[in-house]
Amino acid sequence: MPTIAEKLKSRESDLTRAERQLSAAILDNYPIPGLGSITELAELAEVSTPTVARMVQKLGFSGYPEFQHALREELREIISNPVEKRAEQAPELPEGHMLNRYAVAVYDNIRATLENVNLEEFDTLCALLADTNSRVHIAGGRLSGTLAQNFYLHLQMIRRDVFMIPPRASWTHSVLDLLPGDTLILFDIRRYENATLLLAEMAHERGVKVVLFTDQWRSPIQKEATFTFAARIAVPSAWDSGVALLLLIESMIAKIQEDHWDTVKARNDELEAAFDRTRLFRKFT
């Protein structure tokens, strides 16, 4: 089932100017703005209460109370810890082997993620990441750091000036090297990490383009981000799945290397020569 954030993004072209202003206010610190009264939300977005009521109905809700209830349920999912997630799933686990149930959930996550990808933004970001006039920095959180590392290693084989920002305790040093016009790619999924948000804020203040890879509820970092890509992560497990996010970044790597194959090949020919010289990989010939 789509989140309210996903509904707002997908219906953007159908909204009036005032409704788009309201949508931006909700998404800016999602889902917190919608948890107050209808009057408070209208005042925050600087629109009328009838505008709020109309947009809520456009999203398929009978009224503001039902809309707010859905937001509260989303907030509960966002902040739930692994034990809470497992306890909630246990009574409803369907019959069958875990491998099959997990695979079905991952398939559904991929499908829902792709339905909400803006292809124009996807292509624009790929072009930006291929532009060696803009340096690229990448960082992740406690678990999403593995996705960040994966993206870094592949992007670094494609182009120069790609940097991996170290974990929380050390990243303050890296802020000094963030320059206007650089691009910072961040991975942040529930439970959103304060340190990653602070890094995004400090980078934005320095004139850096922030790119966010997040979940369907969208990290607070989105208010600092030029590009936000949201993937589905919920599976029948106490932990979340990164498969849909991995699909996004691997697809981007594939597009960049395909669009710029001549330069990518030249760089990797040099890399393979270095591998041979260091005898990094086992040879069977």
Side-chain angles (χ1 to χ4, degrees):
M1 182 177 180
T3 64
I4 291 174
E6 289 171 336
K7 289 181 178 180
L8 287 170
K9 296 296 288 185
S10 66
R11 295 292 301 274
E12 198 168 34
S13 61
D14 300 330
L15 302 180
T16 66
R17 182 196 61 77
E19 288 168 348
R20 286 196 294 272
Q21 187 171 314
L22 172 59
S23 174
I26 294 171
L27 293 174
D28 190 47
N29 191 25
Y30 187 80
I32 304 303
L35 299 180
S37 69
I38 189 171
T39 304
E40 290 171 334
L41 178 56
E43 290 177 352
L44 175 67
E46 297 182 345
V47 299
S48 67
T49 51
T51 296
V52 179
R54 281 195 303 271
M55 192 183 78
V56 162
Q57 290 182 336
K58 277 188 179 181
L59 296 178
F61 297 100
S62 60
Y64 193 72
E66 185 182 12
F67 166 81
Q68 198 171 60
H69 175 74
L71 275 181
R72 288 197 180 104
E73 286 299 302
E74 288 189 25
L75 179 62
R76 185 176 60 81
E77 290 188 71
I78 291 170
I79 65 175
S80 60
N81 63 45
V83 174
E84 291 167 342
K85 282 184 280 187
R86 181 63 179 85
E88 182 179 278
Q89 293 163 357
E92 301 177 0
L93 290 180
E95 296 295 324
H97 195 282
M98 171 57 79
L99 179 60
N100 292 328
R101 288 189 278 117
Y102 201 96
V104 168
V106 167
Y107 173 80
D108 288 341
N109 283 347
I110 291 174
R111 177 185 49 77
T113 298
L114 294 179
E115 286 175 354
N116 288 281
V117 172
N118 183 314
L119 293 182
E120 184 177 346
E121 290 189 356
F122 182 97
D123 292 345
T124 301
L125 177 57
C126 288
L128 174 64
L129 296 182
D131 182 2
T132 53
N133 291 317
S134 172
R135 303 188 309 163
V136 177
H137 309 262
I138 304 176
R142 189 173 67 93
L143 294 177
S144 60
T146 57
L147 291 165
Q149 181 73 12
N150 182 297
F151 205 13
Y152 161 74
L153 288 172
H154 284 88
L155 198 56
Q156 198 268 345
M157 288 189 287
I158 285 177
R159 52 156 292 169
R160 59 178 171 79
D161 291 334
V162 181
F163 307 97
M164 186 73 191
I165 294 180
R168 293 164 294 284
S170 305
W171 65 249
T172 46
H173 298 277
S174 299
V175 172
L176 302 178
D177 296 324
L178 295 176
L179 302 175
D182 285 1
T183 299
L184 172 63
I185 299 173
L186 294 174
F187 292 81
D188 192 32
I189 61 175
R190 68 174 180 183
R191 295 169 284 171
Y192 311 122
E193 297 186 30
N194 291 323
T196 312
L197 174 58
L198 181 57
L199 174 58
E201 292 171 344
M202 294 173 73
H204 186 263
E205 290 168 2
R206 296 175 72 90
V208 173
K209 297 185 191 73
V210 176
V211 177
L212 171 65
F213 288 89
T214 185
D215 54 39
Q216 62 260 44
W217 301 287
R218 295 170 178 260
S219 159
I221 291 172
Q222 71 170 341
K223 64 184 177 183
E224 311 290 350
T226 302
F227 299 98
T228 296
F229 291 89
R232 291 297 184 109
I233 61 171
V235 285
S237 169
W239 292 273
D240 292 319
S241 168
V243 173
L245 281 167
L246 185 61
L247 171 67
L248 288 178
I249 62 176
E250 288 191 347
S251 298
M252 287 183 178
I253 289 296
K255 178 168 177 54
I256 295 169
Q257 63 92 27
E258 182 180 76
D259 291 348
H260 304 274
W261 177 243
D262 288 343
T263 55
V264 172
K265 181 181 181 302
R267 183 171 175 84
N268 278 268
D269 284 343
E270 285 191 63
L271 182 61
E272 288 299 321
F275 285 156
D276 288 344
R277 186 171 180 180
T278 59
R279 298 183 180 179
L280 178 65
F281 296 115
R282 181 178 175 85
K283 294 281 188 177
F284 292 93
T285 58

